[in-house]
Amino acid sequence: MTYGALGYDGNELMAFISGYDLEIKFNLRLINSLADAEACADALAQVFYDALMEQLLNEKADFVKPPGYKPATLSEKEGRTDVRQDNEHAG
């Protein structure tokens, strides 16, 4: 599996992480300033965050749902589809 951070033009990777030994390489042709380095580091942090959230959602799906969770239905007993979400006309 390979993870990476795209450069500003979206065509080349500024950095990528791959391999079994966690090889990290930076494309120094695209990183020419402190702002570029910070943008690259921020993008890599986002890559790790996204990977972590994806794994948590896949493996801990029961953790994010409260006990006794039942998916919402639209007035299941009445067959209604015009359920209001506001209290504007509540009595």
Side-chain angles (χ1 to χ4, degrees):
M1 182 170 288
T2 300
Y3 293 99
L6 285 174
Y8 296 113
D9 62 0
N11 294 322
E12 270 187 280
L13 289 173
M14 289 180 86
F16 73 90
I17 302 163
S18 68
Y20 295 107
D21 59 350
L22 194 64
E23 180 181 0
I24 301 172
K25 291 198 176 185
F26 298 97
N27 186 348
L28 297 180
R29 195 171 49 76
L30 296 179
I31 302 172
N32 297 310
S33 67
L34 183 56
D36 291 343
E38 289 175 348
C40 182
D42 290 342
L44 287 175
Q46 187 64 45
V47 166
F48 279 109
Y49 178 82
D50 292 344
L52 173 61
M53 289 300 119
E54 181 180 346
Q55 187 172 348
L56 284 172
L57 289 174
N58 288 335
E59 293 183 12
K60 306 280 186 186
D62 58 331
F63 178 74
V64 295
K65 295 176 185 171
Y69 171 79
K70 181 180 174 190
T73 57
L74 297 176
S75 298
E76 192 175 84
K77 295 177 184 175
E78 300 171 11
R80 293 181 54 197
T81 59
D82 61 339
V83 177
R84 294 185 62 93
Q85 294 295 321
D86 62 3
N87 293 327
E88 184 178 325
H89 299 288

